[in-house]
Amino acid sequence: MSVQANDSARTSDVDVVVIGAGGGGYPGAFLLNRAGRSVVMVDPIGNLGGDCLAEGCVPSKAVREASLVRARATYHADFGLAGAVPAVNWAGVLAHKDRVQQTRYRQHETELAAAKLRLHNGLAQIVAGNAVEVVEADGTAHRYRFRDLILASGSAPSLLRVPGSELALTSHDLFRLGADLAFPARPVIIGGGYIGVEAASMLENLGAEPTVLEATGELLPGFDAELARGLHAQLGRRVKIVTGASVTGIARDGQGYLVSYDHDGAVAKLSGDAVIMATGRHVVLPEGVEHLGLEARIAPVVDNQLRTTNPHVYAPGDVNGRSMLFHSAVRQSLVAAHAILAGGQAVDAMDFESVPMTVFTEPEAAHVGLTEAQAGERFGAVEVGRYDFHEDSRAQIMGETDGYLKLVFEGRRGTLVGAQILGLDAAQLIAPLALAVHTGASAATLAQIAFPHPMLSEGIGTAARQVSS
């Protein structure tokens, strides 16, 4: 949808315009507002949360948790319990997701009502180097002249440029508020990155038979190689995974779909009742960014204050392409706001390397900082501590002993520079390790902590003692 400039719109002066009310936008907007700056936000959803709440991390994890309730029932016999595995009411699962989304939207409405900033439900167009025009959903136009701009317009699902790509579903179709699609019982999932493997894992837990097609030689391209191989081995027990599969087209096939792909030099075909495109996300920029000295359709280059090449324009969150995660966007938004309050001075800085990344599959996978290979390239001397879950009391209690925790230390100073986890509780375990990476905690410091028993966090101390002793 394009914004049509309206020369008759009255121009108002504000300190800061924020384009986008997701994680990259609203935390900084609220901070600036509390500090006394006049702030206007613009977002096409008309509420806070961005794509994360509308169709991403929050609703997808609501579906995922529903799937885990059912999956865990299959473990009853191992615990001396008996009972039927719950039947799946897909409409009920989606209704649960909707309730969570609606609860959070109401929560955000309360936050907005208490603030002294304005949120327009609409689209923004840059019309000058210091001005934007906002067209609301009802067509009402407003124009604002700003001192600083927070460009937090986010990202959107990418589609492969192959025939029939329009037939595929995306995360928007699966998780949007009010989604009413039929349960994908035999989905073909294109893409083995975190979005694709998460979808495959949760749908299989709910009774589906998914197939993942990944173009590269392994799942989770760009991740630590051991972590990717380990997830492939474990997820592959439940889900069919084809690597080296380059999709060439999608076509209707009766009531379903037929996906064509090149594999090992031959043409292969795979049928399913749905095709899910999970081939990454691309940045979304408002029209007119060239007025700011930025290039259209290209992620703005930012420094560690999230400042672009234009000193009055900041681009936190997905839009800069550096760390496309909601929690990262929140931190980036606050860093940008601090810089604006300080008149552009570097009073705060974004530490991209300490942002944790979690893949919510079964088993979970998580990492932060550098891999062992990356640390070796940067520092030369590297030491690694490892803890295998088959030795852990909680993993034994839960019957989930396939997994490990790996800590990567810079060898000369002994500081933690990276960590990788595969298995039970990985999403929780990575958080304290992100803090340790950010603060430069040493192996000796981690070894001295009395982690609670019987919990997997004990493995952090065990792995650290291998290096510190």
Side-chain angles (χ1 to χ4, degrees):
M1 176 179 175
S2 298
V3 177
Q4 298 298 318
N6 185 344
D7 293 334
S8 65
R10 185 174 65 86
T11 300
S12 301
D13 290 323
V14 296
D15 292 324
V16 185
V17 168
V18 181
I19 300 177
Y26 79 83
F30 276 66
L31 175 61
L32 291 163
N33 173 247
R34 289 193 300 271
R37 300 297 175 91
S38 56
V39 180
V40 169
M41 276 196 297
V42 188
D43 191 276
I45 294 173
N47 205 329
L48 309 181
D51 283 343
C52 174
L53 178 51
E55 58 190 59
C57 34
V58 171
S60 68
K61 301 315 170 286
V63 174
R64 186 238 187 186
E65 291 303 318
S67 82
L68 287 180
V69 171
R70 181 177 188 271
R72 284 170 182 154
T74 64
Y75 305 155
H76 282 170
D78 293 336
F79 288 87
L81 305 173
V85 175
V88 176
N89 176 357
W90 177 241
V93 171
L94 295 179
H96 164 65
K97 170 195 70 66
D98 284 358
R99 283 192 297 271
V100 174
Q101 289 170 288
Q102 290 163 342
T103 296
R104 294 201 60 77
Y105 277 131
R106 288 193 297 269
Q107 179 180 327
H108 288 319
E109 287 169 358
T110 301
E111 293 175 271
L112 281 166
K116 296 179 181 178
L117 55 79
R118 186 171 187 179
L119 171 61
H120 288 289
N121 179 2
L123 295 174
Q125 178 180 353
I126 312 299
V127 293
N130 66 342
V132 302
E133 180 160 300
V134 177
V135 177
E136 295 185 328
D138 64 2
T140 304
H142 307 267
R143 186 169 291 195
Y144 294 98
R145 189 163 40 233
F146 56 83
R147 183 180 305 165
D148 293 291
L149 175 70
I150 293 181
L151 182 59
S153 43
S155 64
S158 295
L159 296 177
L160 288 180
R161 294 183 178 179
V162 298
S165 61
E166 72 281 358
L167 300 174
L169 304 172
T170 68
S171 55
H172 168 79
D173 303 295
L174 285 172
F175 303 121
R176 66 174 176 82
L177 187 63
D180 56 358
L181 73 165
F183 179 67
R186 294 183 299 108
V188 179
I189 299 175
I190 302 173
Y194 77 94
I195 296 174
V197 294
E198 285 183 359
S201 183
M202 71 178 72
L203 289 173
E204 194 279 335
N205 281 342
L206 291 169
E209 297 179 356
T211 300
V212 176
L213 302 179
E214 166 55 38
T216 70
E218 189 51 272
L219 296 180
L220 302 179
F223 276 55
D224 175 75
E226 183 184 9
L227 194 68
R229 289 194 302 270
L231 180 64
H232 187 156
Q234 292 195 49
L235 185 61
R237 298 170 189 168
R238 302 162 37 220
V239 172
K240 182 179 180 181
I241 299 168
V242 183
T243 57
S246 180
V247 172
T248 57
I250 306 168
R252 294 191 183 277
D253 182 31
Q255 298 298 310
Y257 301 90
L258 191 66
V259 178
S260 301
Y261 60 98
D262 292 332
H263 186 249
D264 290 337
V267 176
K269 296 182 183 296
L270 181 64
S271 62
D273 62 348
V275 180
I276 300 172
M277 189 80 74
T279 49
R281 298 179 67 85
H282 62 271
V283 302
V284 173
L285 291 165
E287 291 186 30
V289 292
E290 61 274 9
H291 291 297
L292 304 172
L294 305 178
E295 294 187 58
R297 296 181 296 279
I298 296 177
V301 176
V302 296
D303 62 16
N304 286 347
Q305 283 72 52
L306 287 309
R307 186 172 32 234
T308 68
T309 51
N310 182 327
H312 291 282
V313 178
Y314 297 78
D318 281 13
V319 72
N320 64 51
R322 292 187 64 176
S323 178
M324 300 173 83
L325 301 163
F326 181 83
H327 50 283
S328 180
V330 169
R331 173 65 183 139
Q332 292 176 52
S333 185
L334 296 172
V335 170
H338 287 146
I340 290 171
L341 290 174
Q345 297 181 72
V347 295
D348 196 359
M350 180 65 195
D351 179 7
F352 284 99
E353 286 193 350
S354 68
V355 176
M357 169 68 183
T358 299
V359 184
F360 289 91
T361 45
E362 288 74 58
E364 293 177 348
H367 69 88
V368 66
L370 304 177
T371 66
E372 183 178 353
Q374 291 169 336
E377 292 175 3
R378 182 179 300 185
F379 302 112
V382 174
E383 293 189 77
V384 175
R386 185 184 180 98
Y387 182 70
D388 289 311
F389 287 4
H390 66 78
E391 302 173 359
D392 184 80
S393 54
R394 173 166 167 77
Q396 292 162 358
I397 290 167
M398 298 300 294
E400 297 184 40
T401 56
D402 286 341
Y404 67 91
L405 177 154
K406 185 165 66 172
L407 305 182
V408 181
F409 297 92
E410 192 272 304
R412 287 183 291 273
R413 294 177 298 160
T415 55
L416 186 71
V417 295
Q420 297 86 42
I421 310 172
L422 177 67
L424 183 66
D425 296 341
Q428 294 288 354
L429 287 170
I430 203 64
L433 293 172
L435 177 61
V437 168
H438 177 69
T439 58
S442 68
T445 297
L446 294 175
Q448 292 165 4
I449 302 300
F451 291 95
H453 176 77
M455 300 299 290
L456 276 158
S457 57
E458 292 177 288
I460 297 174
T462 302
R465 286 192 292 273
Q466 295 171 8
V467 173
S468 66
S469 57

